[in-house]
Amino acid sequence: MAEELNPFKIAQRQLDDAAGIMGLDKQAHALLREPMRTVVANIPVKMRDGTTKAFTGFRVMYNNARGPGKGGIRFHPQESLDTVKALSAWMTWKCSLANIQFGGAKGGVICDTKTMNPQELENLSRAYMRAFRNVLGPNIDVPAPDVYTTPQIMAWMMDEYSKMSGQDEFGMITGKPLEIWGSEGRFDSTALGGMYVLREAAKLKKIKMKNAKVVIQGFGNAGTFAFDLATKMFGAKVVAISDSTGGVYSDKGLDYAKLKKAKDETGSVQGYKGAQSVTNEELLELDADVLIPAAIENQITQKNAGKINAKILLELANGPVTPSADEILIQNGVFDLPDFLVNSGGVIVSYFEWVQNRGGYYWGENEVYKKLDTIITKSFNDMIQTQKDYAGKGKKISPRMAAYIIAVGRVAAAMKVRGWY
Ligand code: NAD
């Protein structure tokens, strides 16, 4: 049978698996299988040649039992409603596992930003706010940047929303530039949170991180900071990295500054001299202590899961491992750490931004990092404790299922006490 690769079907299957293990109430399960609100808009945008083009935009608020919706806006040519729904579900579990006062949401527009000039991008960003103004707000649903959306785009969106509401609304969106009260420490928070999780996982599995072999797929925001931080924080050796064109491998370890230069000059990591070329498929199967998928969904499937040679799999991307692959990895003893724990640093610091905006009082970078470490380390420990609790009851469950059980349990409890079922 062909493997299911639709991200929303995968998200539903993960929820169903968790619901079965934890004995979730049937009414709560039904409520949590679908988003609470889905809005699709046909958005008119003035283009540079004076014509108006219609773009399809989405905003999905998956669940708000524990707080306002929270989740990024993607501008991507292959954006689809099912991808946005899946990502909004994962945001719900991410915010719940981190135990921060947010539900989950996500948004997107089908567009190709590479063909648009800055004025068209600004027009689209402002038009998105006008289209979704009634379902967004600091106490309703709070967006953030995602793939191909930037702090500048957040600034335009915040400005447009503020004009419509007649007052400054800094807390209606996060990932803003510092000039309009973004948070210190936001730019590398996703990778840094992942590194705190890696530190705890290595400690637990007694893996020495100094000189540990690290392989990274993806050289964007998440992947570049992961490279830099793994070397700086642990003295680890990044032996391979890739982008969409393929990767490079050197057993001696790659040099971060040289790699950045090669990427800037040639547009590809493959411009790096003195290393072997590898395809993205080969890269995933390299012998490593830590494998970090930091690119896109569905990279480790039932086809290649049996060939993964890493001790720790740190899911920095969203949805890099399919449910069938998950089962194979567990059987093979790979310590697979789930995306909605590993990459939660971004939303945790977004939460700090929202809190600071509401209080009008701002924290330094070190304070942000310390608070991030406390929250994400607690999430990791909660997950391990849940695994142990289930093992005590004779049920062996994966780290992903343990994290799901905590996250789903908290949302279900909030819905129950609010009288939703
Ligand atoms: P990005 O656009 O900055 O970088 C993506 C990288 O992946 C690029 O280097 C691209 O070349 C590479 N890539 C694309 N297709 C590939 C392929 N088929 N094989 C190998 N590499 C490929 O995006 P990002 O912000 O770094 O996000 C990466 C992942 O991390 C996404 O799944 C995203 O949802 C997730 N994530 C990011 C953040 C964040 O704060 N940036 C937060 C949470 C989750």
Side-chain angles (χ1 to χ4, degrees):
M1 206 172 68
E3 187 174 12
E4 179 61 69
L5 296 179
N6 174 311
F8 187 55
K9 294 253 165 65
I10 289 178
Q12 285 185 317
R13 151 114 190 249
Q14 289 167 339
L15 171 70
D16 295 346
D17 289 349
I21 298 168
M22 68 198 283
L24 182 67
D25 178 279
K26 278 196 174 58
Q27 304 159 81
H29 188 181
L31 277 170
L32 291 176
R33 267 193 120 245
E34 293 288 340
M36 298 191 62
R37 180 172 60 220
T38 299
V39 185
V40 182
N42 190 21
I43 308 175
V45 178
K46 271 270 186 308
M47 304 305 278
R48 69 189 102 161
D49 61 2
T51 60
T52 293
K53 190 170 169 185
F55 289 87
T56 306
F58 311 102
R59 187 70 193 174
V60 176
M61 205 279 296
Y62 200 80
N63 189 284
N64 64 351
R66 287 171 43 89
K70 180 84 193 96
I73 300 170
R74 272 189 186 181
F75 283 178
H76 200 279
Q78 270 90 49
E79 191 61 289
S80 72
L81 185 56
D82 273 353
T83 309
V84 179
K85 280 161 73 176
L87 288 162
S88 71
W90 290 328
M91 282 305 299
T92 309
W93 315 137
K94 199 181 293 190
C95 294
S96 176
L97 181 67
N99 212 3
I100 55 180
Q101 194 194 319
F102 280 136
K106 202 80 186 184
V109 177
I110 305 174
C111 65
D112 185 356
T113 54
K114 288 178 186 159
T115 65
M116 296 169 75
N117 74 7
Q119 188 58 56
E120 289 168 339
L121 262 186
E122 178 174 347
N123 292 351
L124 173 61
S125 306
R126 290 184 184 277
Y128 185 95
M129 278 297 117
R130 291 193 296 275
F132 294 100
R133 62 178 294 184
N134 292 332
V135 292
L136 297 175
N139 295 313
I140 304 169
D141 182 353
V142 184
D146 199 80
V147 177
Y148 296 136
T149 49
T150 59
Q152 174 62 73
I153 289 176
M154 299 305 108
W156 289 324
M157 289 182 163
M158 175 264 159
D159 185 67
E160 190 66 20
Y161 186 90
S162 297
K163 279 179 183 156
M164 288 184 291
S165 74
Q167 58 184 353
D168 285 338
E169 295 273 15
F170 296 113
M172 70 78 45
I173 202 161
T174 62
K176 299 181 294 296
L178 287 173
E179 291 84 348
I180 51 165
W181 310 109
S183 180
E184 294 285 351
R186 172 67 179 86
F187 66 103
D188 61 351
S189 53
T190 300
L192 182 62
M195 292 302 124
Y196 291 143
V197 172
L198 178 56
R199 179 194 64 204
E200 297 305 310
K203 229 190 290 174
L204 187 73
K205 294 290 168 186
K206 301 194 170 46
I207 295 170
K208 279 234 298 278
M209 284 305 297
K210 181 138 185 75
N211 287 323
K213 278 193 207 172
V214 176
V215 169
I216 303 173
Q217 184 193 43
F219 199 59
N221 176 298
T224 42
F225 284 116
F227 187 144
D228 197 30
L229 291 169
T231 7
K232 282 192 184 142
M233 286 170 67
F234 308 124
K237 197 163 69 167
V238 177
V239 293
I241 192 149
S242 64
D243 55 28
S244 55
T245 64
V248 281
Y249 167 74
S250 167
D251 199 35
K252 287 191 277 187
L254 302 164
D255 180 80
Y256 179 71
K258 256 175 76 181
L259 192 77
K260 264 212 99 105
K261 195 159 168 267
K263 173 89 179 167
D264 290 344
E265 284 173 7
T266 66
S268 155
V269 295
Q270 297 215 310
Y272 187 97
K273 301 235 164 51
Q276 214 177 303
S277 278
V278 283
T279 63
N280 262 301
E281 293 71 35
E282 290 164 346
L283 174 124
L284 294 171
E285 295 166 16
L286 288 169
D287 186 28
D289 294 297
V290 184
L291 172 62
I292 308 182
I296 48 170
E297 305 87 59
N298 294 336
Q299 293 302 291
I300 302 171
T301 63
Q302 64 186 18
K303 275 199 203 128
N304 62 353
K307 298 183 199 152
I308 300 300
N309 275 308
K311 294 179 187 135
I312 295 176
L313 180 53
L314 192 75
E315 297 182 13
L316 206 53
N318 278 311
V321 175
T322 64
S324 319
D326 225 3
E327 286 168 18
I328 301 169
L329 292 167
I330 294 162
Q331 271 166 20
N332 292 351
V334 178
F335 193 24
D336 177 14
L337 295 156
D339 49 3
F340 68 98
L341 166 67
V342 173
N343 68 31
S344 61
V347 76
I348 292 169
V349 177
S350 269
Y351 165 68
F352 295 160
E353 184 174 335
W354 180 74
V355 168
Q356 291 170 85
N357 289 158
R358 289 160 80 89
Y361 178 72
Y362 289 82
W363 315 335
E365 196 177 65
N366 286 340
E367 192 173 351
V368 168
Y369 291 155
K370 228 171 109 191
K371 286 184 157 82
L372 167 62
D373 192 354
T374 305
I375 290 185
I376 208 162
T377 300
K378 181 171 186 316
S379 300
F380 175 86
N381 289 332
D382 288 349
M383 179 184 79
I384 298 299
Q385 188 56 47
T386 301
Q387 264 192 304
K388 283 187 189 152
D389 293 346
Y390 272 80
K393 292 185 258 175
K395 277 191 194 168
K396 192 167 181 270
I397 61 169
S398 67
R400 188 184 322 276
M401 278 304 115
Y404 256 99
I405 288 166
I406 297 166
V408 171
R410 283 182 184 150
V411 179
M415 294 196 307
K416 177 81 185 161
V417 81
R418 290 181 71 147
W420 292 6
Y421 75 95

